[in-house]
Amino acid sequence: MLDDSLSTKVDNVLAKLGKALETGDVDAAVNLFQADCYWRDLVSFSWNLKTMEGRDQIRDMLTRQLAAIKPCHFHQDTTELASDDDGVTQGWFEFETDVGRGYGHIRLKNGLIWTLLTTMTELKGHEEPKGNRRLPGAEHGHGKARRTWKEKREQETSELGYATQPYVVVIGGGQGGIALGARLRQLGVPTIIIEKNERPGDSWRKRYKSLCLHDPVWYDHLPYIPFPENWPVFAPKDKIGDWLEMYTKVMELNYWSSTACKSASYDEVKEEWTVVVERDGKEVVLRPKQLVLATGMSGKASIPKFRGQDRFKGEQQHSSQHPGPDAYKDKKVVVIGSNNSAHDICAALWEAGADVTMVQRSSTHIVRSDTLMDIGLGDLYSERAVAAGMTTRKADLIFASLPYKIMHEFQIPLYEKMRERDAAFYEALEKAGFMLDWGADGSGLFMKYLRRGSGYYIDVGACDLIIDGSIKLKSGSDVDHLTGDAVVLKDGTALPAELVVYATGYGSMNGWAADLISKEVADKVGKCWGLGSNTPKDPGPWEGEQRNMWKPTQQQALWFHGGNLHQSRHYSQYLALQLKARKEGIATPVYGLQERHQLG
Amino acid sequence: MLDDSLSTKVDNVLAKLGKALETGDVDAAVNLFQADCYWRDLVSFSWNLKTMEGRDQIRDMLTRQLAAIKPCHFHQDTTELASDDDGVTQGWFEFETDVGRGYGHIRLKNGLIWTLLTTMTELKGHEEPKGNRRLPGAEHGHGKARRTWKEKREQETSELGYATQPYVVVIGGGQGGIALGARLRQLGVPTIIIEKNERPGDSWRKRYKSLCLHDPVWYDHLPYIPFPENWPVFAPKDKIGDWLEMYTKVMELNYWSSTACKSASYDEVKEEWTVVVERDGKEVVLRPKQLVLATGMSGKASIPKFRGQDRFKGEQQHSSQHPGPDAYKDKKVVVIGSNNSAHDICAALWEAGADVTMVQRSSTHIVRSDTLMDIGLGDLYSERAVAAGMTTRKADLIFASLPYKIMHEFQIPLYEKMRERDAAFYEALEKAGFMLDWGADGSGLFMKYLRRGSGYYIDVGACDLIIDGSIKLKSGSDVDHLTGDAVVLKDGTALPAELVVYATGYGSMNGWAADLISKEVADKVGKCWGLGSNTPKDPGPWEGEQRNMWKPTQQQALWFHGGNLHQSRHYSQYLALQLKARKEGIATPVYGLQERHQLG
């Protein structure tokens, strides 16, 4: 429902909020919120990613930050209509702080603020060269010995990292490092991306050959260059690889491929990192001011230890090493695990004529791709959403506007709907012996992703193969040991095997920090990812944001970046702005720096 | 001015027009046009690019085409408001034919049609896989021995041109061939693009090093993947080269680089071309049904013959061979010509410290880039236009809706405005001895481009160097001969030279047809480009469309494609649909096939 009075309602609250914040009247500001309330801030007020839950936390943040932040010019975005849904009025607004410009989303209940999202969009005086600020390209006029774009680019490429030092080094050149690198380039922050593979996109290309994205195209756009309207819904891995490679080139990233990071250490006095890398067989020492680990939230393979692994005569691979099924026709394969990779690998092996058994050690959350796309993402990320005027930017902000504390409440009804729609399917799966779950509180896939980054399969066909027995299933019993030619379960079953695939997931990102920097720094930073929901694999205490991701950590000048394409796109904006501000010497008073939780 | 009654006015005329066309009532249709009227059709009615001028020509076209075309469902596009400007009402509409869907633009004066544009957008049953028709990418479900995207693409790459034959071969892999290739790929027409250079984009990279686009970014988008909002206004040549290279890759074009076309001949009985190419040093014979020459309207260098060229001891280069100024510091250089390339090359040489003289043999049309962008293109192609809701598609159609016969009338006032704004600049140029013109009828740059493809410079700085004498100017006298170390003009002036650059333009595209196919076919087709305006270098008779471009020619199955990025984008749509229809065996009754004019 859209009407003018909604807009007036939003205007009124924004005017009062703006006035209270401008005059430093914390009480007046806090009183505009209802008792059950949330303010999620992405950089603009907190120089952090932070959700204030309830009036007390909001009061505390404002008391500490207001004088430094100097917010002003709160006004409704006149190009986005306010709307009303079930008694909740929603609106969009712009605002400024002393050093930046911001954009926000507001939800009102009975005239009081229920949720508020404030995000930083740009730093004043450091705007990106886009739209009306595009660079001319051609340099009009004339001058002796001007250099061309190509000459300047070649000079930069040859000097950066040698004669000159980057301000930021990003370790890891997957979608995360690339999206962040693109934003930093636009902001004029000299950056080198370090990638061990030969070509951008190889982290996709080198995975099992049947892999396609499990997220749909509308959810996956990179910043600046969205996928075209003829891009497939679920892009095959090699096609994504090619896209990332071209993107890296045309966005002019300083991308050091075939380069390994050997070590990194921080000099607290000089406030500078020493990063030792090996490029083209030669050691290069980089001295950036900021270090970003973008090695992938699913970067470091985790292989469980079983007795007898050393005696097994066949092949053993982690899923990330599995080359695809071609060499395993007529071979006996046991796949340990029952999440996305396990299902994809089992299905591809069956298609290629292998004899495949999946070992399901614990319950798994399953949703069918079509159903998930329709019910789970359709309102924000779909052709239907595009047709209704939804943009990627707006969808990202709506998504970001839901506080993590109550996000499961929005999710549960969606998954109830999916369960109902596909009831016969789930019944058949359970009949085949598959152990299902819907997350600790029935909130389904996305909460599992945010909490633990694992525990699910988006079904694109493998489930039918389990239901009809094409893929053999052993569930409910963990592996006990391996013999020379079999995997033996705790219940005594021996599964003959010539290949064992461990589709057993990945460790926490700060494992990378331990390897590259030191155990001490990794421990100081603590666990990455997870919300602290106190559900399986996401121990508390409650943090309210994803731990250590895209925001300051306990280790000065060390940052973590990662996640799916959606997160790489959206959160790279906030991380890039935080890095740019530091480069320019802009004051960045961090509110509520997270404490260390859960050694990784 | 926008109001509902305008929309009703357009509705009324469209309803009548639709009814008359559906019922085959030619008179009723013709009577909806005013006496001074134009109907420009791009493929949908004529299977040609054709402008009917006046009621008689419209009557003739309808009489011949209506029964075969079966137009229907004319209705206003409800998403685009009708508007009114100075008594002319404009509207947008959709329609169908028996085999396709179309989109159109209409201008009314006093309730009668002044101009009508009808364009084909897609063939029924052969729609592109975009938006709601996107391919899934991942193949959901399962099946034995399925192949991945990569495996299929590799098979296609290795077999096409050898085990299987392309339906279309495009000679020339610049922006024209690439844009056409992208559209044909989306339409499922097997196509090979033949390019002599090593990499896509090399036709830009290999030109003089200071070259930047003279057209702005909003005018230059390729189909499917527009330039991002941070793309520079006038992109440097190497950056455009990189973009074309990545585009070719991600659009999955079958692009044979480092491949030379040796010969082509058409078998009228088998209705098939034999195209002999040399790829990687090996001869390959291709047998496509359709052949497109996209070798560039500025593809074949034209060097005038002067006495003494064989005795000259320095270097002589056509502008297309000029490597840039680096080797010519302190050298004496004479540049023959005074169009875009001549100015760019002179300025870069001066910047590098050469002693440069420009020989202006005939008058030149000069406009300053900023002024041209603002007054000439600003309403359709600019950040201002984008902010006002203008899309590339709409801008292209508005541009296409102006009949060539009266286009100069729209252009003349714009150039009068430019002349006025930059009066002091033009005065200074003339004072420096520069011979100026504004086109035969004062209609300026774009008409010169359409008529002859030459005769102008878009000033980005070189004019100031001519005004202040940094670039020496000799104008009004042609070259008489060369000596061992000088260029001697007809007025007796000897210009000492160590390098002579012939910035003397390019021949007609059918010169390529003569080289690759035969003199006979080139003569049968006649001149390419030009409107027949009977102005310099565009002899009559009047044709009303650009000769031989993007439409059927007198040689069956031979097509010409080219032009700037705007034309490559827009007209590739119509050429691709014509080729697709032929591939699918859809009847394509061509109305008004142009006669041969002016042997090239």
Side-chain angles (χ1 to χ4, degrees):
Chain A
M1 200 186 83
L2 300 169
D3 66 45
D4 280 355
S5 68
L6 292 177
S7 183
T8 310
K9 218 190 266 184
V10 173
D11 268 341
N12 284 342
V13 174
L14 285 175
K16 284 183 201 159
L17 180 65
K19 194 179 160 202
L21 296 177
E22 275 190 58
T23 57
D25 188 342
V26 173
D27 283 334
V30 170
N31 287 335
L32 292 167
F33 289 79
Q34 64 171 27
D36 165 34
C37 63
Y38 302 89
W39 181 342
R40 185 167 192 225
D41 180 61
L42 305 178
V43 181
S44 58
F45 279 74
S46 62
W47 287 102
N48 199 348
L49 310 191
K50 199 79 192 165
T51 304
M52 279 59 71
E53 300 172 353
R55 287 177 170 174
D56 288 347
Q57 291 188 12
I58 292 171
R59 182 189 316 277
D60 185 66
M61 184 277 282
L62 289 177
T63 305
R64 293 186 192 222
Q65 298 295 99
L66 219 43
I69 300 301
K70 299 192 184 69
C72 59
H73 294 135
F74 275 68
H75 62 273
Q76 202 170 168
D77 177 356
T78 51
T79 67
E80 287 290 348
L81 292 171
S83 64
D84 182 276
D85 187 16
D86 211 12
V88 178
T89 303
Q90 301 192 39
W92 299 90
F93 61 95
E94 297 174 308
F95 65 97
E96 293 185 17
T97 66
D98 195 33
V99 301
R101 294 187 190 87
Y103 196 75
H105 180 267
I106 189 168
R107 283 189 186 84
L108 302 175
K109 276 186 185 173
N110 302 315
L112 291 173
I113 303 172
W114 174 32
T115 70
L116 188 71
L117 171 73
T118 47
T119 73
M120 183 178 282
T121 52
E122 60 187 2
L123 290 160
K124 293 177 186 172
H126 304 284
E127 296 82 2
E128 293 190 21
K130 63 188 179 186
N132 277 319
R133 296 176 190 273
R134 284 176 200 268
L135 297 175
E139 293 176 25
H140 291 193
H142 42 77
K144 288 278 182 186
R146 287 199 299 188
R147 288 176 314 139
T148 65
W149 170 84
K150 184 173 174 237
E151 288 166 333
K152 287 183 220 165
R153 184 79 185 101
E154 283 169 351
Q155 186 183 358
E156 179 188 2
T157 303
S158 67
E159 290 182 358
L160 190 68
Y162 301 95
T164 60
Q165 284 301 321
Y167 183 76
V168 177
V169 164
V170 179
I171 311 289
Q175 67 249 16
I178 289 172
L180 178 64
R183 294 199 190 266
L184 289 172
R185 170 130 210 128
Q186 292 305 312
L187 288 169
V189 178
T191 301
I192 291 176
I193 301 168
I194 303 294
E195 169 59 41
K196 64 178 189 300
N197 286 307
E198 294 77 18
R199 293 156 61 199
D202 275 356
S203 46
W204 285 98
R205 288 192 196 92
K206 291 196 172 178
R207 296 200 64 200
Y208 53 93
K209 74 172 197 173
S210 63
L211 178 63
C212 292
L213 294 191
H214 292 85
D215 292 327
V217 59
W218 310 277
Y219 190 70
D220 299 333
H221 296 299
L222 294 175
Y224 307 108
I225 312 181
F227 294 111
E229 60 179 350
N230 54 15
W231 197 257
V233 178
F234 303 101
K237 70 179 176 70
D238 295 283
K239 194 166 168 66
I240 281 288
D242 288 351
W243 183 266
L244 291 171
E245 187 172 6
M246 82 77 197
Y247 184 92
T248 300
K249 175 85 178 175
V250 300
M251 295 304 289
E252 302 178 27
L253 306 190
N254 296 300
Y255 192 96
W256 287 17
S257 54
S258 301
T259 301
C261 182
K262 315 303 279 182
S263 69
S265 59
Y266 190 66
D267 185 326
E268 304 275 349
V269 178
K270 288 166 90 178
E271 299 193 328
E272 188 176 275
W273 288 93
T274 298
V275 181
V276 181
V277 306
E278 191 176 303
R279 188 189 196 197
D280 300 330
K282 280 186 204 142
E283 193 173 284
V284 183
V285 178
L286 301 172
R287 302 194 184 280
K289 296 294 180 188
Q290 308 286 342
L291 182 66
V292 179
L293 295 190
T295 39
M297 60 150 308
S298 15
K300 213 179 163 187
S302 163
I303 301 186
K305 290 211 168 75
F306 298 120
R307 195 160 39 90
Q309 282 173 323
D310 54 335
R311 279 173 314 181
F312 183 70
K313 290 187 197 118
E315 275 184 273
Q316 297 179 77
Q317 303 160 344
H318 184 263
S319 59
S320 60
Q321 301 160 326
H322 177 64
D326 292 349
Y328 305 105
K329 187 171 188 306
D330 300 326
K331 302 266 181 191
K332 290 187 189 339
V333 183
V334 172
V335 177
I336 317 284
S338 54
N339 287 352
N340 267 332
S341 297
H343 279 84
D344 278 354
I345 289 170
C346 284
L349 282 164
W350 172 83
E351 288 182 358
D355 174 345
V356 196
T357 303
M358 176 190 284
V359 175
Q360 184 184 27
R361 302 185 299 161
S362 56
S363 69
T364 308
H365 173 48
I366 305 275
V367 278
R368 301 180 81 169
S369 178
D370 292 347
T371 307
L372 179 67
M373 295 310 125
D374 184 21
I375 298 176
L377 285 177
D379 288 347
L380 295 180
Y381 301 98
S382 68
E383 209 61 42
R384 155 163 68 93
V386 171
M390 182 60 70
T391 62
T392 306
R393 179 188 183 222
K394 204 173 148 185
D396 287 352
L397 289 170
I398 291 175
F399 207 90
S401 75
L402 296 174
Y404 287 126
K405 185 82 182 180
I406 52 172
M407 191 179 270
H408 62 284
E409 295 174 19
F410 292 83
Q411 296 286 308
I412 290 168
L414 301 179
Y415 286 84
E416 282 172 353
K417 224 162 133 184
M418 296 185 210
R419 196 173 197 157
E420 201 176 312
R421 183 185 289 187
D422 296 329
F425 165 78
Y426 290 114
E427 201 181 319
L429 256 185
E430 287 192 306
K431 215 171 137 189
F434 198 88
M435 300 184 294
L436 288 171
D437 74 64
W438 291 81
D441 48 6
S443 60
L445 188 136
F446 202 76
M447 293 312 300
K448 270 203 164 183
Y449 175 73
L450 291 169
R451 290 165 175 171
R452 52 181 280 193
S454 65
Y456 49 81
Y457 168 54
I458 301 175
D459 179 39
V460 292
C463 287
D464 283 345
L465 295 173
I466 287 170
I467 289 169
D468 74 10
S470 299
I471 297 172
K472 296 168 194 161
L473 175 70
K474 274 303 294 182
S475 71
S477 181
D478 202 343
V479 174
D480 187 77
H481 66 280
L482 273 66
T483 65
D485 55 7
V487 174
V488 182
L489 306 183
K490 287 197 194 299
D491 69 4
T493 314
L495 302 168
E498 294 161 277
L499 166 67
V500 177
V501 179
Y502 297 100
T504 41
Y506 299 87
S508 166
M509 284 179 77
N510 71 339
W512 289 108
D515 287 1
L516 295 177
I517 308 168
S518 67
K519 177 80 164 54
E520 185 198 345
V521 166
D523 287 351
K524 186 169 157 189
V525 166
K527 185 177 187 287
C528 296
W529 207 263
L531 303 167
S533 63
N534 214 13
T535 57
K537 299 200 180 179
D538 182 28
W542 178 246
E543 174 66 31
E545 293 283 339
Q546 292 205 280
R547 286 194 166 120
N548 281 316
M549 299 306 297
W550 316 293
K551 61 182 178 181
T553 67
Q554 288 288 345
Q555 171 59 54
Q556 195 189 341
L558 178 63
W559 310 78
F560 294 88
H561 177 53
N564 58 28
L565 283 153
H566 155 83
Q567 291 171 308
S568 294
R569 168 183 71 243
H570 190 220
Y571 288 100
S572 57
Q573 175 185 329
Y574 308 110
L575 179 48
L577 287 168
Q578 291 174 81
L579 293 166
K580 173 69 175 176
R582 282 161 176 83
K583 173 170 182 291
E584 300 301 330
I586 294 168
T588 57
V590 174
Y591 172 76
L593 179 66
Q594 65 173 2
E595 286 167 30
R596 179 192 68 163
H597 293 296
Q598 299 300 328
L599 301 191
Chain B
M1 201 187 85
L2 299 169
D3 66 45
D4 281 355
S5 68
L6 292 177
S7 181
T8 310
K9 220 191 266 185
V10 173
D11 268 341
N12 284 342
V13 175
L14 285 175
K16 284 183 203 160
L17 181 65
K19 193 179 162 202
L21 295 177
E22 276 192 56
T23 57
D25 189 342
V26 173
D27 284 333
V30 170
N31 287 335
L32 293 167
F33 288 79
Q34 65 171 28
D36 165 33
C37 63
Y38 302 88
W39 180 341
R40 184 167 192 226
D41 180 63
L42 304 178
V43 181
S44 59
F45 278 75
S46 62
W47 286 102
N48 199 348
L49 310 192
K50 200 78 193 166
T51 305
M52 279 60 69
E53 301 173 352
R55 287 176 172 174
D56 288 348
Q57 291 189 12
I58 292 171
R59 184 189 315 276
D60 185 65
M61 185 277 282
L62 289 178
T63 305
R64 291 186 194 222
Q65 298 296 99
L66 221 42
I69 300 302
K70 300 194 183 67
C72 60
H73 294 134
F74 275 67
H75 61 274
Q76 202 170 168
D77 177 357
T78 51
T79 67
E80 286 291 348
L81 292 171
S83 64
D84 183 275
D85 187 15
D86 211 12
V88 178
T89 304
Q90 301 191 39
W92 299 90
F93 61 94
E94 297 175 308
F95 65 96
E96 293 184 18
T97 67
D98 195 33
V99 302
R101 294 185 192 88
Y103 197 74
H105 181 266
I106 190 169
R107 283 189 187 83
L108 302 175
K109 276 186 187 174
N110 303 313
L112 291 173
I113 303 171
W114 174 33
T115 71
L116 189 72
L117 172 73
T118 47
T119 72
M120 183 178 281
T121 52
E122 61 186 2
L123 289 161
K124 293 177 185 171
H126 304 285
E127 296 81 2
E128 293 190 19
K130 63 188 179 186
N132 276 319
R133 296 176 191 273
R134 284 176 199 267
L135 298 175
E139 292 176 28
H140 291 192
H142 42 78
K144 287 279 182 186
R146 287 199 297 187
R147 288 177 314 139
T148 65
W149 171 83
K150 183 171 175 239
E151 288 167 332
K152 286 184 221 166
R153 184 80 184 102
E154 282 170 351
Q155 185 182 0
E156 179 188 3
T157 304
S158 67
E159 290 182 358
L160 190 68
Y162 301 95
T164 60
Q165 284 302 320
Y167 183 76
V168 177
V169 164
V170 180
I171 312 288
Q175 66 248 18
I178 288 172
L180 179 64
R183 294 202 191 263
L184 289 171
R185 168 127 211 132
Q186 291 305 313
L187 288 170
V189 178
T191 301
I192 291 176
I193 301 168
I194 303 293
E195 169 60 40
K196 65 177 187 304
N197 286 308
E198 294 77 21
R199 292 158 60 201
D202 276 355
S203 47
W204 284 99
R205 288 191 195 93
K206 291 197 173 178
R207 297 201 63 200
Y208 53 93
K209 75 171 196 175
S210 64
L211 178 63
C212 292
L213 294 193
H214 292 85
D215 292 327
V217 59
W218 310 278
Y219 190 69
D220 298 334
H221 295 300
L222 294 174
Y224 307 108
I225 312 181
F227 295 112
E229 59 179 352
N230 54 15
W231 198 255
V233 178
F234 302 101
K237 69 180 176 75
D238 294 284
K239 193 166 167 67
I240 281 288
D242 287 351
W243 184 267
L244 290 171
E245 187 173 7
M246 81 76 193
Y247 184 93
T248 301
K249 174 87 178 173
V250 300
M251 295 304 291
E252 302 178 28
L253 306 191
N254 295 301
Y255 192 95
W256 286 17
S257 54
S258 301
T259 302
C261 182
K262 315 303 279 182
S263 69
S265 60
Y266 190 66
D267 184 326
E268 305 275 349
V269 178
K270 288 165 93 177
E271 299 193 327
E272 188 175 275
W273 288 93
T274 299
V275 181
V276 180
V277 306
E278 191 176 303
R279 188 188 196 196
D280 300 330
K282 279 186 203 142
E283 192 173 283
V284 184
V285 178
L286 300 173
R287 303 194 183 280
K289 296 294 180 188
Q290 308 285 342
L291 182 65
V292 179
L293 295 190
T295 39
M297 59 147 313
S298 11
K300 213 182 163 186
S302 163
I303 301 186
K305 291 211 166 76
F306 299 119
R307 199 160 36 92
Q309 283 174 322
D310 54 335
R311 278 173 313 180
F312 182 71
K313 288 184 200 123
E315 274 185 274
Q316 298 179 77
Q317 304 161 344
H318 185 262
S319 59
S320 60
Q321 301 161 327
H322 177 65
D326 293 348
Y328 305 106
K329 187 171 187 309
D330 299 325
K331 302 266 182 191
K332 291 189 191 336
V333 183
V334 172
V335 177
I336 316 284
S338 54
N339 287 350
N340 266 334
S341 297
H343 279 86
D344 278 354
I345 289 170
C346 284
L349 283 164
W350 173 83
E351 289 182 358
D355 175 347
V356 197
T357 305
M358 177 190 282
V359 176
Q360 185 186 28
R361 303 185 299 161
S362 57
S363 68
T364 307
H365 172 50
I366 305 276
V367 278
R368 300 180 83 169
S369 178
D370 291 348
T371 308
L372 178 67
M373 294 311 124
D374 184 21
I375 299 176
L377 285 176
D379 289 347
L380 295 181
Y381 302 99
S382 68
E383 210 61 42
R384 155 163 67 93
V386 171
M390 182 60 70
T391 62
T392 306
R393 180 189 183 219
K394 205 173 149 185
D396 287 352
L397 289 169
I398 291 174
F399 208 89
S401 75
L402 296 174
Y404 287 126
K405 185 82 182 179
I406 53 171
M407 191 179 272
H408 62 285
E409 296 173 18
F410 292 84
Q411 295 287 306
I412 289 168
L414 302 179
Y415 287 84
E416 283 171 353
K417 223 162 135 185
M418 295 185 209
R419 196 173 197 158
E420 201 175 314
R421 182 184 291 187
D422 295 330
F425 165 76
Y426 289 114
E427 202 182 316
L429 256 184
E430 286 191 310
K431 215 171 137 189
F434 199 88
M435 300 184 295
L436 288 171
D437 74 63
W438 292 82
D441 48 6
S443 60
L445 188 135
F446 203 75
M447 295 311 301
K448 271 203 164 185
Y449 175 73
L450 292 169
R451 288 165 174 170
R452 52 181 280 193
S454 65
Y456 50 81
Y457 168 53
I458 301 175
D459 179 39
V460 291
C463 288
D464 283 347
L465 295 173
I466 287 170
I467 289 169
D468 74 10
S470 299
I471 297 172
K472 295 169 196 162
L473 176 69
K474 275 301 297 179
S475 72
S477 183
D478 203 345
V479 175
D480 187 76
H481 67 279
L482 275 67
T483 65
D485 56 7
V487 174
V488 182
L489 305 183
K490 285 197 195 301
D491 68 5
T493 314
L495 303 167
E498 294 163 275
L499 166 67
V500 177
V501 179
Y502 297 101
T504 42
Y506 299 87
S508 165
M509 284 180 77
N510 69 340
W512 290 108
D515 287 2
L516 295 177
I517 309 169
S518 67
K519 178 82 166 53
E520 187 197 344
V521 166
D523 288 351
K524 186 170 158 190
V525 166
K527 185 176 187 287
C528 295
W529 207 262
L531 303 166
S533 63
N534 215 13
T535 57
K537 300 200 180 179
D538 182 28
W542 178 248
E543 173 67 29
E545 292 282 339
Q546 292 205 279
R547 286 196 167 118
N548 280 318
M549 299 305 297
W550 314 294
K551 61 183 177 180
T553 67
Q554 287 290 343
Q555 171 59 56
Q556 195 189 340
L558 178 64
W559 310 79
F560 293 88
H561 177 54
N564 58 29
L565 283 153
H566 156 83
Q567 291 172 309
S568 294
R569 168 184 70 242
H570 190 218
Y571 288 101
S572 58
Q573 177 185 328
Y574 308 111
L575 179 48
L577 287 168
Q578 291 174 79
L579 293 166
K580 172 69 174 177
R582 281 161 177 82
K583 172 171 183 290
E584 299 301 330
I586 293 168
T588 58
V590 174
Y591 172 75
L593 180 65
Q594 64 172 4
E595 285 166 31
R596 179 193 66 164
H597 293 295
Q598 299 298 328
L599 302 189

